[in-house]
Amino acid sequence: MKSGMLAAEATWTALSSSDSGTIFLYDYEDSLRKSSIWKELKEVRNMRPSFHSPLKLYGGVLYSGLEAFILKGKVPWTLKHKGTDYDATGAADSYPKIEYEKPDGKITFDILTSVSRTGTNHEEDQPVHLRVPDWDKHAQEEWPKYKGIENRFCPAGVYEYVEDESKDIGVRFQINAQNCIHCKTCDIKVPNQNINWTTPQGGEGPKYFMT
């Protein structure tokens, strides 16, 4: 939240001092480095990567405890993740299919109910802000191996594979961009990395204050 506030302030400064069509947020990184965010992130930078190091699970737990309570990120090294989220995605046939219980409407809820409670709103006729260069090619690359991983990692039902006999693989790829809550999981997690999240027209999206 603080990083967004700093970005807004940097944008205002840039717009106020420039009459040209292009602006640059020169103040943003400086403001970020001087804020409490930078210190907090530096302190915890090695925690998650430690689990992907030779320390593995239990070593990562112990190391994270040391970082949190003693080292406070003051070590001279920075650990790295061994790979990316999308590279870690396995083929669907390598795992058993999970059958989830039907939502009870009290503790668990269906996707559309959850999305409605975020107050998400996008104009129906605005350009789709989730950019996929070729929908058919995307389906051909993703469906046979991953069996619609997008509609499993997306919390808002944005992506669907709809049965379509006219397609070689029997389904067609569909994007319901109006449901998007801007988590950006698709941009990070999709295996072939061809979904590009962009800022929606008018800055529309979820209004979490309604909850």
Side-chain angles (χ1 to χ4, degrees):
M1 186 182 292
K2 180 64 175 177
S3 66
M5 293 166 66
L6 293 174
E9 291 169 359
T11 302
W12 174 257
T13 300
L15 288 172
S16 300
S17 59
S18 175
D19 295 327
S20 63
T22 302
I23 64 170
F24 297 94
L25 306 186
Y26 293 116
D27 294 340
Y28 181 55
E29 185 173 345
D30 289 339
S31 299
L32 199 62
R33 287 178 177 272
K34 293 174 183 176
S35 72
S36 60
I37 302 173
W38 198 264
K39 178 176 180 291
E40 292 172 1
L41 291 177
K42 187 174 181 180
E43 286 183 3
V44 301
R45 70 187 186 280
N46 286 327
M47 289 188 180
R48 189 58 188 164
S50 68
F51 289 87
H52 297 158
S53 72
L55 297 173
K56 298 186 177 180
L57 177 60
Y58 296 111
V61 171
L62 292 172
Y63 181 83
S64 295
L66 286 173
E67 282 279 18
F69 299 106
I70 299 175
L71 302 176
K72 300 288 186 179
K74 295 177 182 178
V75 296
W77 58 81
T78 298
L79 302 178
K80 303 291 185 181
H81 290 284
K82 65 177 182 181
T84 61
D85 279 346
Y86 65 84
D87 275 334
T89 306
D93 59 11
S94 299
Y95 305 93
K97 185 176 181 180
I98 301 173
E99 296 292 348
Y100 294 97
E101 294 182 7
K102 185 177 180 181
D104 60 16
K106 296 178 181 179
I107 298 177
T108 57
F109 302 89
D110 63 272
I111 288 178
L112 294 181
T113 297
S114 297
V115 170
S116 70
R117 290 182 175 180
T118 68
T120 295
N121 180 63
H122 299 89
E123 292 293 336
E124 293 287 342
D125 59 350
Q126 73 173 230
V128 175
H129 67 279
L130 300 163
R131 309 290 175 81
V132 178
D134 187 325
W135 291 23
D136 287 337
K137 181 180 179 181
H138 177 87
Q140 290 167 358
E141 291 178 351
E142 298 291 335
W143 176 259
K145 184 174 181 179
Y146 302 106
K147 295 297 184 287
I149 189 174
E150 301 88 343
N151 56 24
R152 292 197 295 280
F153 63 55
C154 177
V158 171
Y159 302 100
E160 288 186 272
Y161 283 90
V162 182
E163 290 186 9
D164 188 336
E165 294 181 359
S166 67
K167 302 295 183 181
D168 294 339
I169 57 176
V171 295
R172 61 180 169 81
F173 182 58
Q174 178 172 302
I175 300 177
N176 304 311
Q178 68 274 15
N179 287 0
C180 184
I181 59 174
H182 307 322
C183 68
K184 292 194 70 176
T185 303
C186 54
D187 198 320
I188 297 168
K189 188 66 178 173
V190 71
N192 67 358
Q193 285 293 281
N194 70 350
I195 296 179
N196 183 31
W197 181 93
T198 61
T199 306
Q201 176 179 290
E204 296 174 330
K207 296 178 177 61
Y208 289 109
F209 68 86
M210 293 181 66
T211 61

